[in-house]
């Protein structure tokens, strides 16, 4: 009975999403109706369970991590430190083929370590890196692809909002997932860089060689870049290093990171107006996420009460599929959903079912989490939704930068992300090595 109700509500949920109902509203509505039916119309019992679930969801201190990391990233972006970082990477890598694209990848890799949102990286480097690549004659789709593709690193390299959401839903350690994303994130960045170098060598016209730095910095510029560059390194040490060494919980590390980011911003000229705007922007970004997480907790409660996970596991057992085929099916579902809805919504819909199923099949929960994040991350670049593609389109002040060109340019990055996902699945040590050693 419970399993049938869960499947019915899942069907209603999918229909509501396809009709354009907000994912949070659809989750909460289906969860409430499902629990109401399970309790045979006992409104008081159903409301008591749902309200208690919502209360328990938001009272966890780990929820504070999300707005804090978003605020930290916004302080860094508004301070101009992201631009400082890009120029430093440009001068350091100037002898490499396609160096501006590689500088974009390197900048996004480091910037990802101080912001947990890929959209922030895409917006920042669309304004910083894309104009410079076009000035030097880079092929437009190649330049756009480098910005959109490398921005995906923000969802894997800690602190990542997706990793936080995954940890909350599965009751895993946020710190363990943070640390688990480091090696796969670095490998993915190296794969991106290798692609750029090979492409630039094979077709020099897409990334004309130019070994001079973008600008000849004055002493004032050098001082500003030094503050920005060292400030970002300090943030990484505070956030990631503090968690590694056990000095901070993820929530405490996020709080100290915000303080450090604010200090950097004030030193680089941020004042009251910019600080207040950062606070507002963090609220605008995180409020919908919080609502989604509350609705997701209700959805998880529906699955638990109705035995939904066991029911779905039974369906897969009846199909008699090999574990790897089940994983392929999960990846296919993630990619299809990536064409329709955003990454957080995908996690909220699928992880409460997929994560227990993967563990029941013997997959390591940490490695599976990184695999899932990578596949979902690839969905950020897949048409027709492609959240990062639309972010780049909206951030680039160039009417000739069409969605088609951005999708075409980012397709190699899409393939590399999928390749890295299955590499983690084949070699789970890549994800579990650091958590086992440090957490």
């Amino acid at each position: 009975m419970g399993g049938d109700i869960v499947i019915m509500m899942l069907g209603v949920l999918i229909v509501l999403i396809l009709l354009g109902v907000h994912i949070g509203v659809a989750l909460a509505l289906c969860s409430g109706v499902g629990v109401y039916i399970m309790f045979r119309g006992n409104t008081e019992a159903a409301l008591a369970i749902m309200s208690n679930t919502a209360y328990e969801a938001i009272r966890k201190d780990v929820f504070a991590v999300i707005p804090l990391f978003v605020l930290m990233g916004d302080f860094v972006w508004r301070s101009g430190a992201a631009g400082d970082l890009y120029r430093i990477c440009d001068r350091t890598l100037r002898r490499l083929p396609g160096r501006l694209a590689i500088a974009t990848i390197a900048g996004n890799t480091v910037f990802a370590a101080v912001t947990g949102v890929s959209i922030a990286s895409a917006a920042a480097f669309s304004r910083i890196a894309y104009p410079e690549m076009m000035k030097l004659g880079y092929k437009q789709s190649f330049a756009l692809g480098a910005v959109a593709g490398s921005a995906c690193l923000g969802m894997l390299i800690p602190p990542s909002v997706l990793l936080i959401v995954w940890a909350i839903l599965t009751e895993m350690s946020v710190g363990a997932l943070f640390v688990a994303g480091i090696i796969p994130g670095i490998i993915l960045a190296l794969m991106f860089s290798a692609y750029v170098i090979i492409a630039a060598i094979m077709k020099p016209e897409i990334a004309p060689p130019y070994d001079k730095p973008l600008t000849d910095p004055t002493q004032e510029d050098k001082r500003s870049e030094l503050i920005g560059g060292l400030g970002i390194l300090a943030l990484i040490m505070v956030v990631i290093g503090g968690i590694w060494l056990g000095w901070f919980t993820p929530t405490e590390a996020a709080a100290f990171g915000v303080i450090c980011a604010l200090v950097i911003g004030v030193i680089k000229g941020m004042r009251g107006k910019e600080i207040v705007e950062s606070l507002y922007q963090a609220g605008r970004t995180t409020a919908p996420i919080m609502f989604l997480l509350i609705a997701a907790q209700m959805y998880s409660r529906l699955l638990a009460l109705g035995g939904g996970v066991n029911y779905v596991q039974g369906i897969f057992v009846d199909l008699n599929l090999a574990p790897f085929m089940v994983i392929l099916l999960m990846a296919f579902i993630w990619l299809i959903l990536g064409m329709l809805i955003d990454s957080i919504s995908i996690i909220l819909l699928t992880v409460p079912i997929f994560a227990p199923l993967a563990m029941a099949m013997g997959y390591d929960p940490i490695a599976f989490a990184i695999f899932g994040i990578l596949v979902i991350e690839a969905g950020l670049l897949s048409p027709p939704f492609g959240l990062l593609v639309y972010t780049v389109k909206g951030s680039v002040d160039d009417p000739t930068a069409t969605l088609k060109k951005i999708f075409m340019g980012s397709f190699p990055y899409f393939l590399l992300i999928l390749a890295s996902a299955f590499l983690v699945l084949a070699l789970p040590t890549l994800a579990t090595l650091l958590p086992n050693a440090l957490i």
Side-chain angles (χ1 to χ4, degrees), residues 275-437:
I275 294 171
V276 171
E277 183 57 34
S278 288
L279 293 170
Y280 283 147
Q281 185 58 44
R284 287 191 289 265
T285 301
T286 56
I289 296 175
M290 293 299 190
F291 174 64
L292 282 170
L293 286 171
I294 292 171
Q297 293 293 326
M298 295 179 178
Y299 169 63
S300 297
R301 181 59 63 91
L302 171 66
L303 293 177
L305 291 173
V309 175
N310 293 333
Y311 191 85
V312 174
Q313 285 179 357
I315 293 175
F316 279 103
V317 169
D318 292 340
L319 291 174
N320 200 28
L321 295 175
F324 184 68
M325 293 303 297
V326 175
I327 295 295
L328 283 180
L329 181 58
M330 291 179 184
F332 178 74
I333 292 171
W334 277 330
L335 291 176
I336 294 297
L337 289 175
M339 299 178 186
L340 304 172
I341 56 178
D342 64 278
S343 299
I344 291 178
S345 298
I346 293 171
I347 290 178
L348 299 180
L349 284 171
T350 60
V351 168
I353 296 174
F354 287 1
L357 183 59
M359 285 186 283
M361 294 187 299
Y363 286 95
D364 183 90
I366 291 178
F368 179 74
I370 300 303
F371 166 79
I373 293 296
L374 282 164
V375 176
I376 293 169
E377 193 176 347
L380 294 173
L381 300 175
S382 60
F385 193 79
L387 183 61
L388 284 182
V389 173
Y390 282 87
T391 301
V392 171
K393 170 65 177 173
S395 302
V396 169
D397 187 19
D398 183 354
T400 66
T402 62
L403 289 172
K404 180 181 178 181
K405 290 178 180 178
I406 306 173
F407 277 120
M408 289 177 59
S410 60
F411 184 68
Y413 297 89
F414 171 82
L415 295 178
L416 289 172
I417 293 170
L418 290 181
S420 65
F422 284 97
L423 181 63
V424 170
L425 196 66
L427 299 172
T429 305
L430 295 175
T432 59
L433 180 63
L434 289 180
N436 290 340

Side-chain angles (χ1 to χ4, degrees), residues 200-213:
I201 291 174
M202 294 179 66
K203 294 182 178 180
E205 66 274 13
I206 67 173
Y210 187 81
D211 62 357
K212 295 181 180 179

Side-chain angles (χ1 to χ4, degrees), residues 122-181:
F125 284 88
S126 293
R127 299 184 181 101
I128 296 168
Y130 172 74
E132 300 299 339
M133 285 189 274
M134 295 309 296
K135 284 179 187 176
L136 297 189
Y138 276 56
K139 184 179 178 180
Q140 190 177 32
S141 61
F142 185 74
L144 291 167
V147 174
S150 59
C152 284
L153 292 164
M155 288 303 186
L156 181 63
I157 294 176
S160 159
V161 170
L162 289 190
L163 288 173
I164 297 169
V165 173
W166 190 298
I168 290 171
L169 288 180
T170 58
E171 297 185 355
M172 295 174 65
S173 164
V174 174
L177 285 187
F178 274 5
V179 176

